[in-house]
Amino acid sequence: MSEPIKTKDNRAAAHSYATKQNNQSAIRPMGAGRMAMGMGSVEKSKHFKKTWGQLLRYSKPFLLPIFVCLFMVCVAATMQVIAPSYLSKLTNVIKNGIDTGDIDLQAVLVLGIVILSFYGVFFVLRFVENFLMAKYTQKISQKMRTDISTKINRMPLGYFMKMPYGDLLSRVTNDVDNVGQTLNQSIDTLLIATTMFIGSLVMMILTSPLMALSAIGASLLGFLVMMLVIKKSQKYFVAQQAELGAINGLVEEIYTGHTLVKSYNASKSCKQQFESINQKIYRSAWKSQFLSGLMMPFMSLISNLGYISVVVSGALLHIQGKVEIGAIVAFMLYVRLFTQPLAQFAQAANALQGTAASAERVFEFLGEKEQADEQHKPDTIGKSVQGEVEFRGVKFGYLPEKTIIKDFSLKVLPGQKVAIVGPTGAGKTTLINLLMRFYELDGGQILIDGVDIQSIKREGVHDLFDMVLQESWIFEGSILQNIVYSKTGVAPQQVLEACQTVGLGHFVESLPQGLDTILGEKVSLSEGQKQLLTIARAIIKNSPLLILDEATSSVDTRTEKIVQKAMDELTRGRTSFVIAHRLSTIKNADVILVLKDGDIIEQGTHTDLLLQNGFYASLYNAQFETA
């Protein structure tokens, strides 16, 4: 069950206003995860070193335990590297005992205990290290999510006009998860691989330089072949991801407009487009998967080449009396410890690059300019709100070079119902955005009861208003939770009375759980019922001023009358601003403002404006023309 967000300002209103002005979406292709063995197409960081430095500074509170974990990784890897040298001694003791017919069981026992101790310490250290790394890397991810959540609430609404929601959600989820997983898995993997690689190399050289040369030569030859395969397959992975994105977009378009596709008999052409992209995915996918499937055989080949070279060279050296059997046994383990990190290096390097790209996107957002800090401002206007609203010479433009509202002035008396009409782009919604302080003015003032809204906190301005928007925002939760939302101390009886007021009482009482009925897949509401529910939410909030933004535009005529009746009840005794395209719904407004290009070109009552026979009259008559 989704719980309402406990914020004082109207997040639903801000979300809906931003949604109306931003239709972009960022679609993450299916299967866009990192490919195994470092072969996938990974987004590259533009500033790798800078981003990792920034990530280290960001993680400063958790660096000490992380460094302790990395130290334990080094010690554990050292234990694993040293253990084969004692296994070599144990093998020699047993071999000599077999040759002489007298095995030194005491030496075998001591060496066996030493070897088990090394591997036991390795296990314990890795167990503790994995536990601590998982804990503290997730604390970093948690801190990132918290900071992003806090940052979102501090960002001006204008930022979300240019930032697609999908991209922002990707930063909160995919990018933060990628950072956490890499810090947890790739760093210690890279460190232990480095330690084992260097340690096994040193131990092989100390044990037998000639055998080390043969083992290293065979392993590097196999590794070079593997790198050629990776380079060859990279372009196919890139092509596969690009085509997956294309086919996802096509499928979404077709199913979103399924009715239109059928009505225009476009199924055949859509299928041809799908088959064309699908064929491209097939060609790139089988090649990329085939080549990536060669990775394990190549890794086995590298190991086997190392084993063969060790056995052959070791046998020759043993015949010459230069090495003992124990050294050959130890080398078999050193070959595995030497070849295993080769693949881990490529994988970890790829993951680190992807993490830098993800962290860069997170820090880019966290570094965006925030709204000005208003902690020093009062929470409210400091007196009982009467509802007088005045616009004085207001100027505003979404872009500095393009002013939408040039010099807007208006005085609204307490309790008046003001309707705002005009063609698309006239500035109706922009006025409401400015009134709610979703955007800051370029010039002029907006006053409520003579107090400039710039002089109080934004949250204080938001508390002065109820909003009912065209998009009825409902979340998965009970009817009670949806209506109460962020309001505290509301009794269920008050909510039921609000439902009765807007005409939802009978519907709510007919439900098995009443107000506790969960809205979701099993219980869905019509558009009209959703709109009535949001009106009930506004009644519960009971603010002195009200904004209705095309609240009846998405319902049928019969439902519109029900919603209109509920809105009339809601506006009674409150200063209200109503944006409407259906001019029949605002006949009873005290003042109708006709906007065009950001200026008031006409104002008056419905009757007065019809008598003027101007722009409003032409708009009204156009809606009621007879054939």
Side-chain angles (χ1 to χ4, degrees):
M1 183 189 305
S2 299
E3 294 294 336
I5 304 170
K6 303 299 182 183
T7 52
K8 294 180 71 176
D9 55 335
N10 196 329
R11 302 298 179 203
H15 171 80
S16 295
Y17 264 75
T19 304
K20 286 179 67 178
Q21 299 174 65
N22 183 5
N23 294 323
Q24 295 176 308
S25 63
I27 302 172
R28 181 176 174 83
M30 287 192 305
R34 272 61 181 166
M35 300 296 177
M37 306 303 292
M39 290 187 63
S41 174
V42 176
E43 185 180 358
K44 297 292 182 70
S45 170
K46 297 176 184 176
H47 308 286
F48 182 82
K49 293 181 180 178
K50 178 183 176 182
T51 303
W52 270 102
Q54 196 172 2
L55 183 58
L56 287 174
R57 290 191 295 274
Y58 184 82
S59 308
K60 188 176 180 180
F62 314 106
L63 286 183
L64 180 59
I66 289 176
F67 283 144
V68 171
C69 290
L70 297 181
F71 174 75
M72 286 192 290
V73 164
C74 292
V75 175
T78 304
M79 295 294 103
Q80 194 172 22
V81 169
I82 294 174
S85 65
Y86 285 88
L87 183 62
S88 172
K89 294 178 181 179
L90 177 61
T91 304
N92 289 331
V93 169
I94 295 173
K95 196 264 183 185
N96 293 333
I98 293 174
D99 290 342
T100 61
D102 182 20
I103 298 177
D104 187 352
L105 295 179
Q106 182 67 28
V108 170
L109 180 61
V110 171
L111 289 171
I113 292 174
V114 171
I115 294 170
L116 288 175
S117 299
F118 278 121
Y119 287 123
V121 171
F122 172 82
F123 171 78
V124 172
L125 289 176
R126 287 307 309 271
F127 180 86
V128 175
E129 177 267 332
N130 279 326
F131 174 81
L132 293 177
M133 281 294 286
K135 178 180 178 180
Y136 286 102
T137 54
Q138 287 308 307
K139 281 186 177 290
I140 294 173
S141 296
Q142 182 186 37
K143 183 174 184 289
M144 277 188 170
R145 291 191 186 94
T146 302
D147 289 347
I148 291 174
S149 176
T150 304
K151 183 77 175 186
I152 288 174
N153 291 329
R154 293 175 179 170
M155 295 298 291
L157 192 62
Y159 174 80
F160 299 100
M161 288 184 62
K162 59 184 180 181
M163 169 61 73
Y165 292 148
D167 183 69
L168 183 56
L169 289 174
S170 179
R171 297 179 193 225
V172 178
T173 55
N174 297 333
D175 290 324
V176 173
D177 285 343
N178 188 35
V179 171
Q181 289 177 9
T182 303
L183 290 176
N184 182 30
Q185 298 174 6
S186 297
I187 293 181
D188 58 351
T189 298
L190 183 62
L191 191 58
I192 197 170
T194 303
T195 305
M196 286 197 301
F197 180 82
I198 296 173
S200 58
L201 181 61
V202 170
M203 292 300 292
M204 283 193 293
I205 293 173
L206 292 176
T207 304
S208 174
L210 290 176
M211 287 177 64
L213 185 62
S214 63
I216 294 170
S219 299
L220 290 179
L221 178 62
F223 184 71
L224 289 175
V225 175
M226 185 181 70
M227 293 304 296
L228 291 176
V229 173
I230 292 177
K231 186 176 181 180
K232 182 72 174 176
S233 64
Q234 187 74 21
K235 62 180 180 181
Y236 297 119
F237 274 104
V238 173
Q240 180 185 355
Q241 294 307 112
E243 297 302 335
L244 278 172
I247 204 168
N248 284 343
L250 178 64
V251 169
E252 184 189 34
E253 288 177 359
I254 292 173
Y255 280 96
T256 302
H258 188 66
T259 304
L260 194 65
V261 171
K262 288 294 184 183
S263 63
Y264 278 83
N265 291 323
S267 299
K268 187 175 180 180
S269 61
C270 289
K271 184 179 180 181
Q272 289 173 347
Q273 292 180 56
F274 179 86
E275 289 297 338
S276 175
I277 300 175
N278 197 26
Q279 184 64 25
K280 293 177 182 178
I281 293 177
Y282 163 74
R283 285 196 296 266
S284 58
W286 83 258
K287 291 178 181 178
S288 61
Q289 296 303 319
F290 168 71
L291 291 172
S292 66
L294 294 177
M295 291 297 297
M296 288 309 297
F298 268 119
M299 289 305 300
S300 298
L301 175 63
I302 293 171
S303 297
N304 292 333
L305 285 175
Y307 295 146
I308 292 171
S309 65
V310 166
V311 170
V312 173
S313 61
L316 293 174
L317 291 172
H318 180 67
I319 291 172
Q320 297 172 13
K322 294 182 179 179
V323 295
E324 296 181 330
I325 293 295
I328 299 175
V329 173
F331 255 84
M332 301 293 283
L333 294 177
Y334 286 134
V335 167
R336 179 170 62 84
L337 296 179
F338 179 78
T339 57
Q340 183 179 335
L342 295 177
Q344 292 176 338
F345 286 144
Q347 183 181 4
N350 213 10
L352 292 176
Q353 186 67 252
T355 299
S358 295
E360 193 170 30
R361 283 164 47 79
V362 172
F363 291 136
E364 182 183 25
F365 174 70
L366 293 177
E368 290 286 345
K369 185 178 180 181
E370 300 178 2
Q371 297 177 133
D373 182 25
E374 298 187 323
Q375 293 302 314
H376 61 284
K377 296 182 179 180
D379 293 326
T380 64
I381 61 176
K383 55 185 177 180
S384 178
V385 180
Q386 301 300 313
E388 180 185 275
V389 180
E390 184 177 1
F391 294 82
R392 289 183 184 173
V394 170
K395 297 179 182 179
F396 175 74
Y398 290 106
L399 299 174
E401 67 276 6
K402 187 176 181 181
T403 302
I404 297 175
I405 298 176
K406 303 173 182 65
D407 187 9
F408 183 85
S409 296
L410 173 71
K411 188 169 185 178
V412 180
L413 299 178
Q416 278 193 322
K417 180 178 180 180
V418 180
I420 306 173
V421 302
T424 301
K428 304 184 296 295
T429 299
T430 301
L431 272 182
I432 302 304
N433 281 334
L434 298 177
L435 187 59
M436 289 288 292
R437 279 199 69 192
F438 290 152
Y439 296 90
E440 301 299 340
L441 302 177
D442 293 334
Q445 288 180 301
I446 298 177
L447 301 96
I448 296 178
D449 289 354
V451 177
D452 191 338
I453 62 173
Q454 297 283 344
S455 65
I456 63 175
K457 293 179 181 178
R458 292 181 186 83
E459 290 81 1
V461 176
H462 299 165
D463 276 340
L464 297 175
F465 289 89
D466 292 334
M467 295 190 77
V468 180
L469 306 175
Q470 179 180 358
E471 295 85 6
S472 305
W473 187 70
I474 306 295
F475 56 86
E476 186 176 352
S478 67
I479 294 176
L480 180 67
Q481 288 173 323
N482 268 279
I483 294 177
V484 172
Y485 194 45
S486 61
K487 186 82 172 179
T488 57
V490 181
Q493 184 59 35
Q494 292 176 265
V495 177
L496 198 56
E497 290 173 2
C499 291
Q500 295 285 359
T501 302
V502 301
L504 274 179
H506 176 71
F507 170 73
V508 171
E509 290 172 352
S510 67
L511 295 172
Q513 285 81 37
L515 289 173
D516 294 324
T517 302
I518 302 298
L519 299 178
E521 294 181 358
K522 294 184 178 179
V523 179
S524 58
L525 303 179
S526 67
E527 286 300 319
Q529 288 170 329
K530 290 179 182 178
Q531 200 63 277
L532 291 173
L533 192 147
T534 59
I535 294 174
R537 183 188 292 157
I539 289 176
I540 290 298
K541 189 182 179 189
N542 195 29
S543 297
L545 296 102
L546 175 67
I547 293 172
L548 303 173
D549 186 2
E550 302 179 35
T552 62
S553 63
S554 58
V555 297
D556 58 83
T557 305
R558 181 175 177 276
T559 306
E560 179 186 331
K561 292 181 179 179
I562 300 174
V563 175
Q564 188 63 46
K565 182 180 178 182
M567 288 195 303
D568 289 340
E569 182 68 27
L570 182 61
T571 57
R572 186 174 300 156
R574 305 188 194 191
T575 305
S576 53
F577 296 84
V578 182
I579 297 176
H581 284 300
R582 295 183 183 178
L583 303 186
S584 59
T585 64
I586 56 168
K587 289 182 179 180
N588 62 345
D590 297 305
V591 180
I592 298 175
L593 304 178
V594 184
L595 263 63
K596 188 177 181 183
D597 299 328
D599 294 320
I600 299 176
I601 58 172
E602 294 175 4
Q603 71 179 82
T605 64
H606 172 73
T607 304
D608 293 338
L609 292 174
L610 287 181
L611 291 175
Q612 291 179 22
N613 199 28
F615 190 76
Y616 176 83
S618 65
L619 286 176
Y620 183 80
N621 293 329
Q623 293 188 11
F624 299 98
E625 284 180 344
T626 56

